[in-house]
Amino acid sequence: MQEQMDKIIDISVTLSKDTVIYPGDPTPEYMLFCSLADGGIANVGGMKHGLHHGTHVDVPYHFKDGERTFEQMPLSHWVGPALVVDATQEDVCISAKTLEGIDLDKHKRILFKTKNSLDYYKRPEFYEKFIYLDKSACELMAKHNVLTVGLDYITVDPFGS
């Protein structure tokens, strides 16, 4: 078991000017404030973008005022063993049916691999027909006290909802 705990897999999306953003979110900006070439003592860069650009975490406050913000959430929610569910066969959404046969009581963190990361996230523009989490899957995971759910796109709910 310890051997499995020592393996860390980084699944984050690289941030760049080409990273897909959700429609209406601010356009990312990357700049160099100070450079060695201009006589500075170091190269110092900066970035400006929305909090939902690239790999990110939605915390309860995202949808409800007064709920926990990022700094109030324990890191243990996002770091630890996770079950990766191959849902690349899904064409529309991940539903409770996708989770059939999985003992959800044994897994506190679940990550979904879908067509989003195989194709849709690689497109230059936001793709409105991405694979999302259906309410039935969310309710089932909540019923089993799943702590963290990860999806391989910018948002988890259907576009426009």
Side-chain angles (χ1 to χ4, degrees):
M1 183 67 163
Q2 185 60 39
E3 183 178 309
Q4 290 175 339
M5 296 294 288
D6 291 340
K7 186 174 183 178
I8 296 174
I9 301 170
D10 182 359
I11 59 170
S12 57
V13 174
T14 300
L15 291 177
S16 78
K17 62 179 180 48
D18 299 320
T19 303
V20 175
I21 61 169
Y22 194 86
D25 279 3
T27 302
E29 296 177 35
Y30 301 93
M31 67 278 311
L32 196 57
F33 288 109
C34 180
S35 72
L36 294 168
D38 290 335
I41 62 169
N43 290 315
V44 180
M47 62 184 191
K48 178 180 168 186
H49 59 81
L51 294 176
H52 292 89
H53 177 66
T55 305
H56 67 277
V57 174
D58 284 343
V59 294
Y61 177 75
H62 182 53
F63 288 107
K64 189 173 181 184
D65 284 337
E67 291 292 329
R68 290 187 292 178
T69 57
F70 183 79
E71 69 277 2
Q72 295 170 324
M73 301 291 294
L75 186 59
S76 61
H77 272 52
W78 302 293
V79 177
L83 173 68
V84 177
V85 175
D86 184 341
T88 54
Q89 78 283 357
E90 300 297 350
D91 290 320
V92 177
C93 67
I94 294 165
S95 67
K97 185 174 181 184
T98 310
L99 297 167
E100 285 179 358
I102 298 172
D103 186 350
L104 295 175
D105 293 319
K106 289 185 177 181
H107 305 284
K108 293 301 165 205
R109 293 171 204 85
I110 299 179
L111 305 175
F112 292 98
K113 178 182 178 181
T114 72
K115 292 176 182 173
N116 295 334
S117 57
L118 298 179
D119 178 23
Y120 309 154
Y121 221 133
K122 296 175 183 175
R123 296 177 182 203
E125 300 292 327
F126 180 83
Y127 184 63
E128 294 180 3
K129 294 182 180 181
F130 61 89
I131 309 300
Y132 62 89
L133 290 176
D134 181 71
K135 186 177 180 179
S136 65
C138 297
E139 289 174 343
L140 183 60
M141 290 184 285
K143 177 181 171 185
H144 288 273
N145 298 310
V146 173
L147 191 62
T148 300
V149 176
L151 185 66
D152 53 357
Y153 208 61
I154 303 170
T155 186
V156 297
D157 49 349
F159 180 68
S161 68

